[in-house]
Amino acid sequence: MGIFNRLGREVEQFKQTAVESAEEQYDYRCEECDARFTTNHDYCPECGAEAVVETVETANDE
């Protein structure tokens, strides 16, 4: 049973790392529904709101 516990912990750690890495790569987000995406849109592709803004990290890099 120990191998399955260890494997489960390793998979969970990998998932957390993957989620954190993906969140860091988004350049734009919707202020209404908090959807995140890499390309600029005039409106949110998720909810249709016109509240698309650059993420803080992107704005500070320039």
Side-chain angles (χ1 to χ4, degrees):
M1 196 73 179
I3 190 168
F4 294 112
N5 287 334
R6 190 190 76 195
L7 185 58
R9 283 193 302 270
E10 289 177 8
V11 168
E12 186 60 34
Q13 183 179 9
F14 175 77
K15 286 178 12 183
Q16 293 298 322
T17 302
V19 167
E20 290 169 3
S21 295
E23 288 176 351
E24 292 174 359
Q25 295 183 16
Y26 293 119
D27 297 329
Y28 301 91
R29 72 174 186 85
C30 174
E31 290 184 317
E32 294 293 320
C33 70
D34 204 36
R36 296 173 188 265
F37 30 90
T38 57
T39 57
N40 192 7
H41 296 277
D42 293 331
Y43 59 90
C44 176
E46 295 292 322
C47 71
E50 294 182 4
V52 176
V53 295
E54 260 186 298
T55 59
V56 175
E57 294 84 19
T58 302
N60 287 339
D61 289 343
E62 296 176 353

